[in-house]
């Protein structure tokens, strides 16, 4: 049975994440090293049959070809909940379903006593 996993803000290709002007720059010498580390960690955690909900900002300020190559290397059936940095680029990649802004996700993973409903978005909301 596939598992359901969640992530956000991978920012593949976004060189600005490494800049010291960022409040918390990511600790890599190059964006390529950053992206390779994320791909390796992703594929270690995610099996090909798993369902992944990515809550936005998949890639930013890189070419569509670069983002598509990264996307093709990732395990799982990936769904995108659009983030502010996905307008244009992220929307043009291949996903396992339509790109959405908000979504109800129903999770019934192995070992769970019952199905759980989650309302998801890239943005914080008052509930």
């Amino acid at each position: 049975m596939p598992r359901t996993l969640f992530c956000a803000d991978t920012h593949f290709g976004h060189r600005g994440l490494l800049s010291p002007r960022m409040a918390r720059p990511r600790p890599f010498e190059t964006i390529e090293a950053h992206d390779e580390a994320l791909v390796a960690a992703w594929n270690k955690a995610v099996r090909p049959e798993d369902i992944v909900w990515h809550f936005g900002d998949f890639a930013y300020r890189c070419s569509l070809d670069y983002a598509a190559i990264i996307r093709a290397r990732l395990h799982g059936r990936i769904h995108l909940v659009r983030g502010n940095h996905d307008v244009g680029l992220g929307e043009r990649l291949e996903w396992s379903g339509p790109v959405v802004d908000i979504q109800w996700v129903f999770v019934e993973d192995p070992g769970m006593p019952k199905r759980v409903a989650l309302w998801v978005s890239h943005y914080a909301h008052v509930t």
Side-chain angles (χ1 to χ4, degrees):
M1 178 178 215
R3 299 170 302 155
T4 305
L5 300 112
F6 305 95
C7 73
D9 296 291
T10 47
H11 285 262
F12 289 109
H14 186 184
R15 286 178 167 70
L17 291 177
L18 312 180
S19 171
R21 67 179 171 77
M22 298 293 285
R24 292 189 173 157
R26 296 193 184 174
F28 296 91
E29 292 294 319
T30 66
I31 195 61
E32 293 79 14
H34 167 272
D35 294 351
E36 288 303 314
L38 263 62
V39 169
W42 180 298
N43 287 339
K44 184 176 180 183
V46 179
R47 302 178 307 210
E49 69 272 14
D50 288 339
I51 300 163
V52 179
W53 284 91
H54 193 293
F55 299 153
D57 293 358
F58 177 79
Y60 186 59
R61 294 196 173 186
C62 63
S63 71
L64 178 60
D65 287 342
Y66 182 84
I69 288 167
I70 293 287
R71 167 62 191 89
R73 293 177 56 203
L74 299 173
H75 293 171
R77 295 178 289 166
I78 308 170
H79 299 267
L80 180 66
V81 178
R82 184 183 298 117
N84 55 308
H85 291 158
D86 295 309
V87 175
L89 179 61
E91 297 168 325
R92 295 169 60 198
L93 297 171
E94 185 177 325
W95 303 103
S96 294
V99 176
V100 296
D101 293 309
I102 57 171
Q103 182 72 37
W104 277 103
V105 177
F106 298 92
V107 181
E108 190 169 11
D109 280 5
M112 291 178 65
K114 65 179 183 173
R115 184 168 81 155
V116 175
L118 303 170
W119 187 86
V120 300
S121 170
H122 177 70
Y123 304 97
H125 294 270
V126 176
T127 60

